[in-house]
Amino acid sequence: MLAKQAGTENYFAVKCLKKDVVLEDNDVECTLIERKVLSLGTKHPYLCHLFCTFQTPVRLHLYQCYVSWS
């Protein structure tokens, strides 16, 4: 999904993951590794930067927000 930060002109790519699917497919480790790699790629010209992660209050979905520095 594409999201715009309220009050600014900043746009973000939002990746939405269903938590039950991640657990069912045994992708927990892959999801954590992806989060760590993208958070370390700060301002790299060929990688998106992980801006934030959060989950819904009911904990059904995980969200990862990315921003490109190009």
Side-chain angles (χ1 to χ4, degrees):
M1 297 185 297
L2 181 64
K4 182 178 175 188
Q5 187 176 14
T8 69
E9 293 296 316
N10 297 333
Y11 287 92
F12 299 90
V14 180
K15 181 178 181 179
C16 176
L17 303 168
K18 288 187 177 183
K19 206 169 188 181
D20 60 341
V21 174
V22 171
L23 294 172
E24 183 179 296
D25 293 344
N26 201 18
D27 285 338
V28 175
E29 185 178 3
C30 293
T31 303
L32 293 174
I33 289 171
E34 177 184 5
R35 178 181 175 204
K36 182 160 182 130
V37 166
L38 291 173
S39 66
L40 294 173
T42 307
K43 297 194 178 186
H44 189 281
Y46 301 113
L47 292 176
C48 292
H49 173 69
L50 181 64
F51 182 74
C52 69
T53 60
F54 58 94
Q55 57 185 326
T56 56
V58 184
R59 299 181 184 210
L60 295 176
H61 293 90
L62 298 170
Y63 296 92
Q64 298 177 341
C65 302
Y66 302 97
V67 62
S68 175
W69 297 109
S70 56

